[in-house]
Amino acid sequence: HRPKPLAGKTIVMTSGPTHEAIDPVRYIANRSSGKQGHAIAAALVRLGATVRLVSGPVTIPDPEGVDVIHVESACEMRDAVEQLLPADAAVMVAAVADWRTANEAGEKIKKQPGKKAPALQMVENPDILAGVGHSTLRPRLVVGFAAETQDLLANARKKLDKKGADWIVANDVSHATGVMGGDRNAVRIVTRSGVEEWPDMSKDEVAERLASKIAEALQTVDV
Ligand code: C5P
Protein backbone atom coordinates (compact mmCIF):
# COMPACT_ATOMS: atom_id res chain seq x y z
CA HIS A 1 0.00 0.00 0.00
CA ARG A 2 1.16 3.48 -0.90
CA PRO A 3 1.09 6.20 1.75
CA LYS A 4 -1.95 8.52 1.61
CA PRO A 5 -0.59 11.91 2.70
CA LEU A 6 -3.71 13.69 1.39
CA ALA A 7 -6.24 11.56 3.29
CA GLY A 8 -8.94 13.82 4.74
CA LYS A 9 -8.07 16.73 2.41
CA THR A 10 -10.56 18.16 -0.08
CA ILE A 11 -9.28 19.68 -3.30
CA VAL A 12 -11.31 21.71 -5.81
CA MET A 13 -10.13 21.60 -9.41
CA THR A 14 -10.99 22.84 -12.89
CA SER A 15 -9.83 21.24 -16.12
CA GLY A 16 -10.46 21.36 -19.85
CA PRO A 17 -11.63 24.19 -22.09
CA THR A 18 -14.83 26.15 -21.88
CA HIS A 19 -17.35 26.56 -24.69
CA GLU A 20 -18.94 29.95 -25.13
CA ALA A 21 -22.15 29.75 -27.15
CA ILE A 22 -22.76 31.96 -30.17
CA ASP A 23 -26.13 30.44 -30.97
CA PRO A 24 -27.73 27.02 -30.32
CA VAL A 25 -25.33 25.25 -32.69
CA ARG A 26 -22.11 27.29 -32.59
CA TYR A 27 -19.55 28.07 -29.92
CA ILE A 28 -16.09 29.54 -29.33
CA ALA A 29 -13.58 27.10 -27.84
CA ASN A 30 -9.83 26.49 -27.43
CA ARG A 31 -7.40 23.59 -27.88
CA SER A 32 -7.30 22.39 -24.26
CA SER A 33 -7.80 18.61 -24.02
CA GLY A 34 -8.14 18.37 -20.23
CA LYS A 35 -5.30 15.81 -20.17
CA GLN A 36 -3.07 17.69 -17.72
CA GLY A 37 -5.87 18.70 -15.33
CA HIS A 38 -7.49 15.27 -15.33
CA ALA A 39 -4.09 13.62 -14.70
CA ILE A 40 -3.53 15.89 -11.70
CA ALA A 41 -6.97 15.04 -10.31
CA ALA A 42 -6.21 11.32 -10.60
CA ALA A 43 -2.78 11.74 -8.98
CA LEU A 44 -4.27 13.67 -6.03
CA VAL A 45 -6.84 10.91 -5.51
CA ARG A 46 -4.06 8.31 -5.48
CA LEU A 47 -2.51 10.26 -2.59
CA GLY A 48 -5.80 10.01 -0.69
CA ALA A 49 -7.46 13.38 -1.46
CA THR A 50 -11.14 13.91 -2.06
CA VAL A 51 -11.12 15.69 -5.43
CA ARG A 52 -14.05 17.66 -6.79
CA LEU A 53 -13.34 18.43 -10.42
CA VAL A 54 -15.30 20.91 -12.52
CA SER A 55 -14.59 19.91 -16.11
CA GLY A 56 -15.32 21.77 -19.31
CA PRO A 57 -16.25 19.77 -22.43
CA VAL A 58 -13.55 17.13 -23.03
CA THR A 59 -13.44 13.82 -24.89
CA ILE A 60 -11.35 11.98 -22.29
CA PRO A 61 -13.02 9.88 -19.54
CA ASP A 62 -13.62 11.12 -16.00
CA PRO A 63 -10.53 10.37 -13.89
CA GLU A 64 -10.92 7.37 -11.60
CA GLY A 65 -12.15 8.11 -8.10
CA VAL A 66 -12.87 11.77 -8.84
CA ASP A 67 -16.20 13.48 -8.28
CA VAL A 68 -16.74 15.29 -11.64
CA ILE A 69 -19.16 18.10 -12.42
CA HIS A 70 -19.51 18.70 -16.17
CA VAL A 71 -20.08 22.23 -17.41
CA GLU A 72 -19.86 24.07 -20.73
CA SER A 73 -19.19 27.75 -20.18
CA ALA A 74 -16.96 29.87 -17.94
CA CYS A 75 -19.99 31.22 -16.06
CA GLU A 76 -21.21 27.70 -15.35
CA MET A 77 -17.70 26.71 -14.25
CA ARG A 78 -17.51 29.68 -11.86
CA ASP A 79 -20.92 28.86 -10.34
CA ALA A 80 -19.92 25.21 -9.82
CA VAL A 81 -16.56 26.11 -8.23
CA GLU A 82 -18.20 28.56 -5.81
CA GLN A 83 -20.48 25.77 -4.58
CA LEU A 84 -17.43 23.61 -3.78
CA LEU A 85 -15.73 26.00 -1.32
CA PRO A 86 -14.47 25.71 1.36
CA ALA A 87 -11.67 23.27 0.50
CA ASP A 88 -8.08 22.65 1.60
CA ALA A 89 -6.63 23.44 -1.82
CA ALA A 90 -7.68 24.63 -5.26
CA VAL A 91 -5.89 23.66 -8.46
CA MET A 92 -7.26 25.57 -11.43
CA VAL A 93 -6.05 24.05 -14.66
CA ALA A 94 -8.93 24.84 -17.03
CA ALA A 95 -8.26 26.96 -20.10
CA VAL A 96 -11.16 29.27 -19.37
CA ALA A 97 -12.23 31.48 -22.27
CA ASP A 98 -11.32 35.09 -21.52
CA TRP A 99 -14.41 36.34 -23.33
CA ARG A 100 -17.91 35.15 -24.08
CA THR A 101 -20.41 36.44 -26.58
CA ALA A 102 -22.38 39.39 -25.22
CA ASN A 103 -25.68 37.98 -26.44
CA GLU A 104 -26.21 34.31 -27.23
CA ALA A 105 -28.64 34.19 -30.18
CA GLY A 106 -31.77 32.22 -29.32
CA GLU A 107 -32.01 30.79 -32.84
CA LYS A 108 -29.36 29.67 -35.32
CA ILE A 109 -27.95 32.74 -37.04
CA LYS A 110 -28.87 32.40 -40.72
CA LYS A 111 -26.78 33.27 -43.72
CA GLN A 112 -28.73 35.39 -46.19
CA PRO A 113 -27.77 36.53 -49.68
CA GLY A 114 -26.50 40.10 -49.60
CA LYS A 115 -26.38 40.22 -45.77
CA LYS A 116 -23.09 41.16 -44.09
CA ALA A 117 -21.20 38.67 -41.91
CA PRO A 118 -22.38 38.97 -38.30
CA ALA A 119 -20.14 40.94 -35.91
CA LEU A 120 -19.55 39.09 -32.64
CA GLN A 121 -19.83 41.28 -29.56
CA MET A 122 -17.73 39.91 -26.70
CA VAL A 123 -17.67 40.58 -22.95
CA GLU A 124 -15.07 39.51 -20.40
CA ASN A 125 -15.64 36.29 -18.47
CA PRO A 126 -15.26 36.06 -14.69
CA ASP A 127 -11.75 35.03 -13.58
CA ILE A 128 -12.46 31.86 -11.61
CA LEU A 129 -8.97 31.49 -10.17
CA ALA A 130 -8.87 35.12 -9.01
CA GLY A 131 -12.31 34.65 -7.45
CA VAL A 132 -11.03 31.68 -5.44
CA GLY A 133 -7.70 33.33 -4.62
CA HIS A 134 -9.41 36.41 -3.21
CA SER A 135 -12.39 34.63 -1.65
CA THR A 136 -13.25 34.87 2.05
CA LEU A 137 -13.34 31.05 1.75
CA ARG A 138 -9.88 30.94 0.18
CA PRO A 139 -8.28 27.48 0.39
CA ARG A 140 -4.94 27.31 2.19
CA LEU A 141 -3.14 26.47 -1.05
CA VAL A 142 -4.21 27.99 -4.38
CA VAL A 143 -2.50 26.81 -7.57
CA GLY A 144 -3.03 28.28 -11.01
CA PHE A 145 -1.61 27.60 -14.44
CA ALA A 146 -0.24 30.01 -16.99
CA ALA A 147 -0.23 28.93 -20.59
CA GLU A 148 1.72 31.49 -22.53
CA THR A 149 3.44 31.82 -25.86
CA GLN A 150 5.75 34.66 -24.76
CA ASP A 151 7.28 36.28 -21.64
CA LEU A 152 6.41 33.14 -19.68
CA LEU A 153 8.04 33.87 -16.32
CA ALA A 154 7.21 37.57 -16.17
CA ASN A 155 3.57 36.81 -16.95
CA ALA A 156 3.46 34.00 -14.39
CA ARG A 157 4.91 36.22 -11.63
CA LYS A 158 2.30 38.90 -12.29
CA LYS A 159 -0.41 36.26 -11.97
CA LEU A 160 0.62 35.32 -8.41
CA ASP A 161 -0.65 38.61 -7.05
CA LYS A 162 -3.37 39.39 -9.56
CA LYS A 163 -5.00 36.03 -8.94
CA GLY A 164 -4.16 35.58 -5.26
CA ALA A 165 -2.35 32.32 -6.07
CA ASP A 166 0.46 30.64 -4.10
CA TRP A 167 1.93 28.87 -7.11
CA ILE A 168 1.62 29.36 -10.84
CA VAL A 169 2.54 26.40 -13.02
CA ALA A 170 3.87 28.05 -16.15
CA ASN A 171 3.97 26.24 -19.46
CA ASP A 172 4.95 27.36 -22.92
CA VAL A 173 2.11 26.49 -25.27
CA SER A 174 3.70 27.83 -28.45
CA HIS A 175 2.50 25.66 -31.31
CA ALA A 176 5.91 24.00 -31.82
CA THR A 177 5.94 22.68 -28.22
CA GLY A 178 2.91 20.46 -28.93
CA VAL A 179 1.76 20.93 -25.32
CA MET A 180 -1.86 21.86 -26.09
CA GLY A 181 -3.58 18.55 -26.79
CA GLY A 182 -0.31 16.60 -26.52
CA ASP A 183 0.94 14.12 -23.89
CA ARG A 184 4.07 15.90 -22.69
CA ASN A 185 4.72 19.09 -20.78
CA ALA A 186 7.68 21.15 -19.58
CA VAL A 187 6.65 23.38 -16.69
CA ARG A 188 8.08 25.84 -14.26
CA ILE A 189 6.61 26.28 -10.79
CA VAL A 190 6.60 29.98 -9.98
CA THR A 191 6.18 30.92 -6.30
CA ARG A 192 6.93 34.05 -4.31
CA SER A 193 10.23 32.51 -3.24
CA GLY A 194 11.48 31.56 -6.70
CA VAL A 195 11.14 29.37 -9.77
CA GLU A 196 11.53 25.59 -10.01
CA GLU A 197 12.27 24.38 -13.50
CA TRP A 198 11.06 20.85 -14.26
CA PRO A 199 12.42 18.96 -17.26
CA ASP A 200 10.20 17.88 -20.14
CA MET A 201 8.16 14.86 -18.99
CA SER A 202 4.80 13.21 -19.60
CA LYS A 203 1.67 14.97 -18.35
CA ASP A 204 1.20 12.00 -15.98
CA GLU A 205 4.66 12.58 -14.52
CA VAL A 206 3.96 16.30 -14.12
CA ALA A 207 0.75 15.30 -12.32
CA GLU A 208 2.54 12.89 -9.96
CA ARG A 209 5.19 15.43 -9.08
CA LEU A 210 2.72 18.26 -8.59
CA ALA A 211 0.47 16.07 -6.42
CA SER A 212 3.47 15.19 -4.20
CA LYS A 213 4.41 18.85 -3.92
CA ILE A 214 0.83 19.72 -2.94
CA ALA A 215 0.82 16.94 -0.32
CA GLU A 216 4.06 18.26 1.12
CA ALA A 217 2.71 21.82 1.26
CA LEU A 218 -0.53 20.80 2.96
CA GLN A 219 1.41 18.88 5.58
CA THR A 220 3.31 21.96 6.68
CA VAL A 221 1.69 24.44 9.02
CA ASP A 222 2.07 27.37 6.66
CA VAL A 223 2.25 27.16 2.86
O1 C5P B 1 -4.95 34.89 -17.05
P1 C5P B 1 -4.75 33.51 -17.56
O2 C5P B 1 -5.91 32.98 -18.34
O3 C5P B 1 -3.46 33.30 -18.27
O4 C5P B 1 -4.62 32.66 -16.23
C1 C5P B 1 -4.54 31.26 -16.25
C2 C5P B 1 -4.97 30.70 -14.93
O5 C5P B 1 -6.16 31.34 -14.48
C3 C5P B 1 -5.32 29.24 -15.02
O6 C5P B 1 -5.09 28.65 -13.76
C4 C5P B 1 -6.80 29.27 -15.36
O7 C5P B 1 -7.45 28.08 -14.97
C5 C5P B 1 -7.27 30.46 -14.55
N1 C5P B 1 -8.39 31.22 -15.14
C6 C5P B 1 -9.63 31.18 -14.54
N2 C5P B 1 -10.67 31.92 -15.06
C7 C5P B 1 -10.47 32.71 -16.13
C8 C5P B 1 -9.21 32.78 -16.73
C9 C5P B 1 -8.19 32.01 -16.22
O8 C5P B 1 -9.81 30.45 -13.56
N3 C5P B 1 -11.49 33.42 -16.61
Side-chain angles (χ1 to χ4, degrees), residues 22-203:
I22 296 169
D23 69 17
V25 298
R26 302 183 180 98
Y27 57 81
I28 295 168
N30 60 63
R31 296 187 196 281
S32 167
S33 62
K35 281 179 189 168
Q36 185 65 84
H38 280 51
I40 293 165
L44 290 167
V45 164
R46 289 195 292 271
L47 295 185
T50 298
V51 178
R52 307 232 154 82
L53 170 65
V54 184
S55 173
V58 295
T59 57
I60 58 175
D62 288 352
E64 208 175 315
V66 177
D67 181 10
V68 185
I69 299 168
H70 294 271
V71 300
E72 297 258 328
S73 67
C75 289
E76 289 167 6
M77 190 173 273
R78 185 259 332 260
D79 292 347
V81 166
E82 279 178 357
Q83 296 299 310
L84 297 176
L85 296 179
D88 295 292
V91 185
M92 314 306 259
V93 195
V96 182
D98 288 320
W99 303 278
R100 67 176 178 278
T101 51
N103 311 291
E104 179 185 341
E107 306 293 340
K108 183 183 171 193
I109 302 167
K110 300 294 284 181
K111 178 167 68 171
Q112 279 163 19
K115 205 176 136 195
K116 276 199 301 188
L120 280 182
Q121 295 270 16
M122 309 284 281
V123 292
E124 212 169 306
N125 266 330
D127 190 316
I128 303 166
L129 171 57
V132 169
H134 295 120
S135 168
T136 50
L137 295 176
R138 185 190 191 280
R140 200 148 75 81
L141 178 67
V142 175
V143 181
F145 271 65
E148 301 284 351
T149 58
Q150 50 190 357
D151 299 330
L152 189 64
L153 287 180
N155 279 317
R157 281 198 197 93
K158 275 186 225 153
K159 267 168 218 175
L160 284 176
D161 288 324
K162 203 174 112 201
K163 307 212 179 218
D166 299 298
W167 307 343
I168 292 286
V169 181
N171 57 353
D172 184 348
V173 292
S174 301
H175 193 66
T177 64
V179 166
M180 274 279 198
D183 290 318
R184 300 190 69 79
N185 208 353
V187 303
R188 274 167 266 194
I189 314 294
V190 181
T191 71
R192 285 186 183 75
S193 51
V195 180
E196 251 180 61
E197 195 157 337
W198 292 2
D200 175 274
M201 57 185 99
S202 73
K203 287 184 176 177

